[in-house]
Amino acid sequence: MEFCPKCKSMMVPVKGVSKCRNSKCGYVKEKETDQESLMSKAARSEREVTVLEGNIDQGLPTTSVRCDECGHNVAYWWLRQLRSADESETRFFKCTKCGLTWREYD
């Protein structure tokens, strides 16, 4: 879905161009050429996810939970949506002493 840059109304496709639905505005956008379309798709596919290494735990909240590996009572925690959206998130823990990572099972 595309919106008019002038009046923010919705644009509708008409005979190879996009026209603003607002008749008072009259903005018309020509259809992108195949080359422009390919370039925008390439730009989207080049987006990379930055993986943090090192002290990524800094800034995570901590909680009081016992580590089965070393017996320490403080761990970092975070939530991840692993299953479908209608199911609850999974809570992960990482021991601040030994680095053991585990998940909480309901």
Side-chain angles (χ1 to χ4, degrees), residues 7 32 39 46 56 67 83 106:
C7 70
E32 289 183 341
M39 290 178 67
E46 289 178 3
I56 61 169
C67 174
R83 293 172 244 132
D106 293 337

Side-chain angles (χ1 to χ4, degrees), residues 47-64:
R47 294 182 191 155
E48 295 182 11
V49 176
T50 303
V51 178
L52 300 176
E53 296 179 1
N55 292 333
I56 61 169
D57 302 330
Q58 289 181 337
L60 289 176
T62 58
T63 188
S64 179

Side-chain angles (χ1 to χ4, degrees), residues 80-93:
R80 289 287 179 262
Q81 185 72 40
L82 299 179
R83 293 172 244 132
S84 61
D86 63 340
E87 296 185 36
S88 63
E89 297 173 315
T90 302
R91 185 186 317 222
F92 287 89
F93 297 98

Side-chain angles (χ1 to χ4, degrees), residues 65-74 95 97-98 100:
V65 63
R66 185 170 176 80
C67 174
D68 291 336
E69 186 76 21
C70 69
H72 192 63
N73 289 324
V74 179
C95 178
K97 185 175 179 183
C98 71
L100 177 71

Side-chain angles (χ1 to χ4, degrees), residues 5 7 10-11 18 20 24-25 27 37 39 57 66-67 76 80 85 88 90 93-94 96 99-100:
C7 70
M10 190 167 54
M11 302 285 286
S18 294
C20 179
K24 293 179 183 178
C25 175
Y27 180 78
S37 179
M39 290 178 67
D57 302 330
R66 185 170 176 80
C67 174
Y76 300 109
R80 289 287 179 262
S88 63
T90 302
F93 297 98
K94 183 175 183 179
T96 58
L100 177 71

